[in-house]
Amino acid sequence: MESTQLDLTTYEGLLAAIAPAEGAPSREVTDPATGEVIGLVPVQTPADVDAAITRAEAAQPAWEALGHEERSAALLRAADAVERSAEALARISSRESGKPLNGPGARFEAGACAIWLRTAAATQLDPQVVVDDESGHAVLHYRAIGVVGAITPWNWPMMIAVWQIAPSLRMGNTVVIKPSEYTTLCGLAIAAVINQELPEGVLEVVTGAGDIGGVLTADPRIGKVMFTGSTATGKRIIGATADNLTRLTLELGGNDPGIVLPDADPKAIAEGLFWGAFINTGQTCAALKRLYVHDSIYDAVVDELAAFAAAIPMGPGVEEQNLLGPLQNAKQREIVAKLVDEAKASGARVVLGGEPDADAPGYFYPTTIVADVDPSNPLVVEEQFGPALPVIRYSDVDEAIAEANRLNVGLGSSVWSSDPARAREVAARIKAGTTWINAHGALHPIVPFGGVKGSGYGLEFGPEGLKAVAYPHVING
Ligand code: ADP
């Protein structure tokens, strides 16, 4: 059935629009909160990837030739389309990724998709006059690369797709995107909504797991890969693209530290700490994953945080009252459970949670806070990516900074203090792509975002994000 005949502003219409063609190979998708089957997604082969890249390559010159104004206008119309379909998108994201509709959840995600599309449309990247005097005249231009290969993870499946798609399209590239195999419906749905406003072939979706991602990234017609996912996969992509010298933006995992200075107000920071750590039930790249608290206020911070956390309802995302949902998949739930069990066995103190209900349906793991945990405990040094926060005691700020910097990742980080100037001094000593003051994980569509060390390289958002999906061309003379 043609998607244009369906109403993409309803959950049922949107699901029908992205359903596999009659008789095509497909597989079932289940709701992580209930185990219920919610839809079907196509199972594709390397030949499908080849065909998608061929279509995207064919569509690229005309898309680039449209010029910045027309492409920006298309992105603005796409943002309007996302807004019209926001509730349908949110419901699909909630049911497939587990995110609650409310709080910083699925409706927030759909809203962010529209905001990032609009911002990409409005951001200017003018040619830059580098020299214009008696020594010469040189202008730096930013040109479309060609076809961008985009690969997304399952935690913010629509928003991250837009982070990759919007700047790429804005600069005149076409895109072939492969959503995570865990959240394929989300990838198909956001692309179907945006595609209402784009010429054919400009945005293609391929489905599958790492093998299909490998075929996409290794194709020599892909000029740029935008990737968000694990460090291990990022390294594989570097290998797969080495022969083609494909340009890369790699937003890889993190294990973000937060440092609470002795002058912080425990009650005032509890809410920010909580959402910094537990947004999307802890399944966020730049979430607070290890919290270092000064000895003088340690107990007060743990108590305030635990009291705030205990009041936040967890349950199926589509039930309006819930603000935390299940883990997206069984594997992730096992990782969280194992890390918490190991911490418990080591003598750490579980202040909240830590006892999953093995008989309950879905991949739920309770909101968990673990205190008096050794800085070298696996719950601290490995990325838990779930609702379990270790809180580590420190007595000397230098020691906390050293602990924050000791891991081979550096995406986000935060410093919490009643004295912003003091907090900024400490922030300057943290090795990370971003350090927030009295917040954690707050993203802004024109503030550059990226990582260092094992968290990858390249910047997203704003003019820097546009440069990342263009190649620089100097006209000298
Ligand atoms: P996560 O733990 O977030 O699932 P992954 O790195 O495993 O992180 O997956 C992120 C995305 O990368 C998914 O879309 C996945 O299918 C894709 N992927 C996995 N392996 C590869 C690979 N070798 N090449 C390209 N993409 C891959």
Side-chain angles (χ1 to χ4, degrees):
M1 205 186 301
E2 277 295 308
S3 64
T4 46
Q5 294 163 0
L6 294 160
D7 181 0
L8 271 59
T9 67
T10 67
Y11 175 80
E12 292 76 16
L14 189 47
L15 267 188
I18 62 176
E22 194 79 22
S26 65
R27 65 178 174 81
E28 290 179 340
V29 175
T30 54
D31 181 336
T34 59
E36 195 189 324
V37 174
I38 54 170
L40 292 174
V41 291
V43 172
Q44 293 192 328
T45 65
D48 294 308
V49 180
D50 182 70
I53 299 173
T54 301
R55 289 191 296 272
E57 194 182 36
Q60 196 274 330
W63 177 245
E64 183 178 356
L66 272 185
H68 282 293
E69 271 184 35
E70 295 269 327
R71 288 196 304 272
S72 290
L75 292 184
L76 291 176
R77 289 196 305 274
D80 293 342
V82 166
E83 265 167 9
R84 284 195 300 276
S85 292
E87 187 61 15
L89 289 166
R91 284 189 178 273
I92 289 177
S93 177
S94 186
R95 295 221 63 188
E96 191 185 41
S97 80
K99 246 180 221 64
L101 286 172
N102 290 315
R107 289 183 177 128
F108 163 84
E109 181 176 20
C113 290
I115 292 171
W116 258 264
L117 279 162
R118 286 214 172 92
T119 307
T123 304
Q124 288 294 327
L125 186 57
D126 295 323
Q128 187 188 338
V129 179
V130 195
V131 177
D132 185 25
D133 57 23
E134 63 286 355
S135 70
H137 179 75
V139 182
L140 173 58
H141 298 262
Y142 294 95
R143 313 283 192 210
I145 295 171
V147 185
V148 170
I151 306 222
T152 55
W154 45 260
N155 57 341
W156 291 95
M158 294 183 180
M159 185 170 76
I160 292 175
V162 168
W163 292 356
Q164 300 179 345
I165 292 167
S168 300
L169 297 183
R170 172 72 171 78
M171 293 309 290
N173 307 287
T174 53
V175 175
V176 180
I177 188 163
K178 190 202 80 63
S180 166
E181 59 274 33
Y182 291 108
T183 49
T184 306
L185 288 176
C186 288
L188 288 166
I190 187 72
V193 170
I194 293 173
N195 259 332
Q196 296 173 101
E197 305 299 337
L198 299 176
E200 222 161 282
V202 168
L203 173 59
E204 292 281 333
V205 186
V206 293
T207 64
D211 52 340
I212 291 293
V215 173
L216 175 62
T217 52
D219 193 292
R221 294 169 294 174
I222 298 292
K224 165 88 192 188
V225 171
M226 296 286 290
F227 173 71
T228 300
S230 63
T231 304
T233 303
K235 289 180 183 172
R236 272 184 219 114
I237 290 175
I238 293 170
T241 55
D243 269 355
N244 301 325
L245 290 166
T246 313
R247 289 165 182 267
L248 302 176
T249 293
L250 302 176
E251 200 262 81
L252 309 178
N255 191 346
D256 290 8
I259 299 179
V260 179
L261 300 182
D263 69 359
D265 174 347
K267 197 172 180 61
I269 63 174
E271 181 173 359
L273 288 175
F274 176 79
W275 286 114
F278 291 92
I279 181 169
N280 198 27
T281 316
Q283 303 162 107
T284 297
C285 310
L288 174 49
K289 295 185 178 126
R290 45 195 177 111
L291 182 62
Y292 298 87
V293 180
H294 191 264
D295 190 40
S296 61
I297 55 168
Y298 184 88
D299 292 332
V301 169
V302 168
D303 290 349
E304 292 290 350
L305 182 57
F308 189 92
I312 303 299
M314 178 185 282
V318 288
E319 293 176 11
E320 298 279 347
Q321 76 278 8
N322 292 324
L323 297 177
L324 296 171
L327 276 305
Q328 201 282 330
N329 55 74
K331 188 179 82 179
Q332 199 56 45
R333 187 181 193 265
E334 272 164 37
I335 291 171
V336 176
K338 180 167 170 285
L339 288 171
V340 173
D341 288 348
E342 280 174 11
K344 265 196 254 184
S346 78
R349 181 163 59 96
V350 177
V351 179
L352 183 71
E355 297 286 343
D357 179 352
D359 299 328
Y363 306 131
F364 287 95
Y365 192 89
T367 308
T368 298
I369 294 174
V370 181
D372 297 325
V373 55
D374 186 88
S376 298
N377 191 277
L379 180 61
V380 179
V381 297
E382 290 171 26
E383 187 186 21
Q384 72 277 47
F385 216 70
L389 180 68
V391 190
I392 307 107
R393 197 187 287 268
Y394 76 85
S395 51
D396 172 12
V397 175
D398 287 345
E399 168 206 327
I401 294 169
E403 284 299 329
N405 288 338
R406 73 183 272 208
L407 303 182
N408 191 28
V409 281
L411 189 58
S413 53
S414 56
V415 181
W416 304 75
S417 165
S418 300
D419 176 357
R422 171 74 184 127
R424 281 194 281 271
E425 279 170 24
V426 173
R429 297 171 60 197
I430 298 181
K431 292 194 182 71
T434 303
T435 304
W436 285 277
I437 310 285
N438 292 328
H440 198 117
L443 299 177
H444 185 292
I446 67 159
V447 177
F449 177 63
V452 296
K453 300 196 274 186
S455 295
Y457 46 75
L459 284 172
E460 297 183 89
F461 313 162
E464 294 301 325
L466 295 187
K467 287 180 192 172
V469 282
Y471 74 84
H473 179 198
V474 174
I475 299 197
N476 194 339

